[in-house]
Amino acid sequence: MEASRKYISCEELKNHNKPGDLWISIEGKVYDVSDWVTEHPGGDFPLLNLAGQDVTDAFVAFHPATAWKYLDKFFNGFYLKDYSASEVSKDYRRLVYEFTKMGLFEKKGHVCLFTMCLVSMLFATSIYGILCCQSVLAHLISGGLLGCLWIQSGWIGHDSGHYQVMRTRGLNRFAQVLTGNCLAGISIAWWKWTHNAHHIACNSLEYDPDLQHMPFFVVSSKFFSSLTSHFYDRKMTFDSFTRFLVSNQHWTFYPVMCFARINLFAQSFILLLSNKTVPHRVEEILGVISFWIWYPLLVSCLPNWGERILFVIASFTVTGIQHVQFCLNHFSSEIYVAPPKGNDWFEKQTNGSLNISCPSWMDWFHGGLQFQIEHHLFPKLPRSQLRKVSPFVKDLCIKHGLTYNCASFFKANALTVSTLRAAAFQARDLTKPVPKNLVWEAVNTHG
């Protein structure tokens, strides 16, 4: 049986990494996913950018155990010659197996139910404050509560995009559109598109869209050479205007975060109105339109333009906390300039992520992002289980000499601002040599 097997080398596998010719290896078996790329639930980005290599760890991370039985229809008859897995990968896969056996991927708890109830209460209170109260302060507080609603609805959208939070797929889809498109005005299709790419290429400057914020922010001087975004398929030109903004980014970071949601609104429309394939496009558009009906209508119920503007600013500013949270987990972590690989999954996810230390009673505030390392390693794990698996991840990091990055909320903010400040100072004077380790510079730069 062994002698009759057909083998290809890793070098030969690398040649099959182009649209129309996409091969991947999973545990040494080679699969042709060229035709599957248009139907892949996770979008085309993972397959297009991981093709031509072994992707076992990424497959294990993103797919339930039931997905293995569907692989045979893609098997092309080849096996990878001299296939082997690193000790880190073996231990990582063993952890996934153990967590699966313990049923952790199925134990979702009542997080979604509690969050839905909280969102409903916030929505009702905000409406009551606008319609039934006359004071400016009550209207301002109502705007802040609406911002809190957007934060909590964002956690539901995030969870439901990674795993099924409701009893059926249909209800899960309903939860996604309700909390994302209808309540927050952000397309869940856009979020899945960008977020899956972020997980696959965590902290790759060229492939991770969550680090591509020019002209407003850069986390590394490597952007000064005008890198190409392989996600947006465009050159990120570092021109004089960008240099001016970046030179002051450590001052503008928080003000911009207060209104970062505007960019998410725009990106949602850009995707939904583009020529790209968007699942359930009509449904997505109708959901976003519903937001742009009820939100302006609610604002119009306020007595004058001054209060309307204050209400909008309050709602945007409060939800800006969530946008800051998104940045804290990655801006000050290790970055790289290269396409994502399949054979260093555990290392890239841990090195590129920062946990936020907090007591368990504050978990509602962080929505699972406080265990960013665990979330990136096990994206389908319900957030109610992240705290439970954290010690296992720490032990694995210690065993293999990897850094388990964790900081308090305030320290994480300081690290992020320091990273931005270090890049800002370099942008002001490009004649100075670029430091080899910007994260070290971010921690040690003062002034």
Side-chain angles (χ1 to χ4, degrees):
M1 177 70 72
E2 188 71 23
S4 63
R5 284 186 173 184
K6 297 185 294 182
Y7 289 91
I8 63 170
S9 67
C10 292
E11 289 301 316
E12 291 173 307
L13 181 61
K14 287 180 182 178
N15 295 326
H16 300 277
N17 65 346
K18 304 173 185 63
D21 183 22
L22 301 171
W23 290 13
I24 59 174
S25 164
I26 299 176
E27 289 196 336
K29 291 181 71 173
V30 180
Y31 302 93
D32 186 346
V33 293
S34 305
D35 297 329
W36 176 242
V37 68
T38 56
E39 302 178 49
H40 185 232
D44 59 1
F45 185 89
L47 295 179
L48 291 172
N49 290 280
L50 289 177
Q53 56 185 311
D54 184 81
V55 298
T56 305
D57 289 346
F59 181 84
V60 166
F62 281 97
H63 298 81
T66 54
W68 289 87
K69 63 184 179 183
Y70 298 106
L71 285 177
D72 280 346
K73 66 180 181 180
F74 303 108
F75 181 50
N76 62 6
F78 286 98
Y79 292 84
L80 194 60
K81 190 184 299 182
D82 299 325
Y83 165 75
S84 64
S86 68
E87 292 303 313
V88 179
S89 288
K90 289 178 183 177
D91 285 342
Y92 167 64
R93 296 171 197 177
R94 194 175 296 117
L95 269 188
V96 176
Y97 173 75
E98 291 297 330
F99 295 162
T100 303
K101 192 167 66 173
M102 293 165 64
L104 298 185
F105 290 96
E106 305 303 321
K107 296 177 180 178
K108 303 176 178 67
H110 301 291
V111 174
C112 183
L113 175 62
F114 292 148
T115 309
M116 283 283 198
C117 290
L118 178 59
V119 166
S120 300
M121 290 172 57
L122 290 169
F123 194 51
T125 306
S126 182
I127 292 176
Y128 177 84
I130 293 174
L131 300 181
C132 302
C133 299
Q134 302 299 319
S135 74
V136 176
L137 179 60
H139 295 161
L140 199 60
I141 292 174
S142 296
L145 291 176
L146 191 60
C148 292
L149 179 154
W150 287 340
I151 292 175
Q152 293 302 318
S153 69
W155 299 144
I156 297 177
H158 177 262
D159 291 348
S160 63
H162 278 294
Y163 55 89
Q164 191 170 304
V165 299
M166 308 295 279
R167 289 186 178 274
T168 66
R169 287 189 177 184
L171 286 174
N172 196 68
R173 175 64 185 167
F174 173 77
Q176 289 177 342
V177 175
L178 174 64
T179 58
N181 301 54
C182 299
L183 286 179
I186 298 171
S187 165
I188 195 68
W190 170 82
W191 178 85
K192 285 183 177 180
W193 177 54
T194 59
H195 198 65
N196 285 338
H198 161 64
H199 270 267
I200 290 294
C202 180
N203 275 31
S204 167
L205 299 185
E206 295 178 301
Y207 290 82
D208 183 354
D210 281 13
L211 291 186
Q212 297 173 357
H213 300 297
M214 289 175 63
F216 293 101
F217 307 117
V218 303
V219 298
S220 169
S221 57
K222 296 184 189 321
F223 278 111
F224 299 168
S225 58
S226 297
L227 298 175
T228 297
S229 168
H230 293 280
F231 178 77
Y232 294 111
D233 195 26
R234 59 177 172 80
K235 194 175 186 65
M236 296 178 287
T237 306
F238 189 78
D239 53 23
S240 57
F241 177 67
T242 302
R243 181 177 177 178
F244 170 75
L245 293 179
V246 168
S247 295
N248 299 281
Q249 63 181 359
H250 53 305
W251 296 112
T252 61
F253 175 64
Y254 290 109
V256 169
M257 288 298 104
C258 289
F259 298 96
R261 185 151 292 248
I262 295 173
N263 178 54
L264 273 57
F265 293 152
Q267 293 298 327
S268 294
F269 277 113
I270 290 171
L271 176 65
L272 295 179
L273 299 178
S274 71
N275 295 325
K276 294 182 180 293
T277 301
V278 179
H280 313 290
R281 187 190 297 269
V282 174
E283 188 179 279
E284 293 274 342
I285 291 175
L286 290 176
V288 171
I289 289 176
S290 70
F291 169 82
W292 288 107
I293 292 175
W294 75 258
Y295 182 62
L297 187 62
L298 187 64
V299 174
S300 69
C301 292
L302 291 165
N304 56 67
W305 277 105
E307 290 193 30
R308 290 167 189 164
I309 292 172
L310 285 176
F311 178 87
V312 171
I313 291 175
S315 60
F316 277 45
T317 300
V318 170
T319 198
I321 295 171
Q322 187 176 60
H323 296 287
V324 171
Q325 289 173 302
F326 293 149
C327 299
L328 300 185
N329 293 129
H330 297 287
F331 270 29
S332 63
S333 298
E334 184 176 304
I335 51 89
Y336 65 101
V337 181
K341 295 181 181 179
N343 60 359
D344 59 356
W345 178 262
F346 190 93
E347 297 91 328
K348 279 291 191 290
Q349 301 300 328
T350 53
N351 291 337
S353 302
L354 173 69
N355 279 9
I356 308 298
S357 59
C358 72
S360 57
W361 60 269
M362 279 294 290
D363 285 351
W364 66 273
F365 175 74
H366 295 283
L369 298 192
Q370 72 275 31
F371 293 107
Q372 187 72 186
I373 295 173
E374 288 75 13
H375 171 60
H376 266 256
L377 291 173
F378 314 102
K380 296 191 73 63
L381 190 70
R383 68 165 127 144
S384 59
Q385 304 299 329
L386 293 174
R387 186 175 288 274
K388 184 180 296 185
V389 306
S390 177
F392 296 96
V393 176
K394 287 180 183 177
D395 290 343
L396 197 55
C397 287
I398 293 172
K399 178 181 178 180
H400 294 286
L402 298 171
T403 303
Y404 183 88
N405 299 302
C406 188
S408 69
F409 182 73
F410 296 104
K411 178 63 175 177
N413 273 270
L415 286 170
T416 298
V417 173
S418 294
T419 299
L420 295 172
R421 184 171 59 229
F425 288 169
Q426 293 169 47
R428 292 176 185 181
D429 189 355
L430 293 179
T431 63
K432 291 183 178 179
V434 177
K436 295 181 180 180
N437 190 331
L438 185 56
V439 175
W440 185 93
E441 286 288 324
V443 176
N444 291 277
T445 299
H446 303 281

